[in-house]
Amino acid sequence: MPYTPNDRVVYRDGREEPQRGRIQEVRDEGPHAVYRIRNDATGEIQVITREQIAGGADGGGTG
């Protein structure tokens, strides 16, 4: 099951601790999907790949 807008996810962006955010936009759906996410803690917008999401290629967000 792919991730969709408004799904909440835990992801890695290079910081020591995993980050939490909500998907705002899905680009290029499929195995090479890219997501625009708003970070819950900082409010910043980030663009990440499926591999950066905890559970990565498994899909399945939590709306």
Side-chain angles (χ1 to χ4, degrees):
M1 180 176 175
Y3 295 102
T4 59
N6 293 318
D7 282 350
R8 291 198 168 279
V9 294
V10 176
Y11 63 97
R12 293 216 169 260
D13 67 351
R15 292 180 243 203
E16 191 172 316
E17 295 296 319
Q19 303 297 306
R20 294 183 185 275
R22 181 182 299 269
I23 294 175
Q24 292 192 323
E25 180 183 355
V26 180
R27 301 178 188 168
D28 187 25
E29 293 182 26
H32 301 291
V34 175
Y35 303 94
R36 192 176 100 179
I37 293 184
R38 181 171 298 273
N39 185 300
D40 287 345
T42 66
E44 65 190 329
I45 300 292
Q46 297 177 286
V47 176
I48 65 169
T49 63
R50 173 171 274 168
E51 289 78 25
Q52 289 175 270
I53 297 175
D58 296 335
T62 58

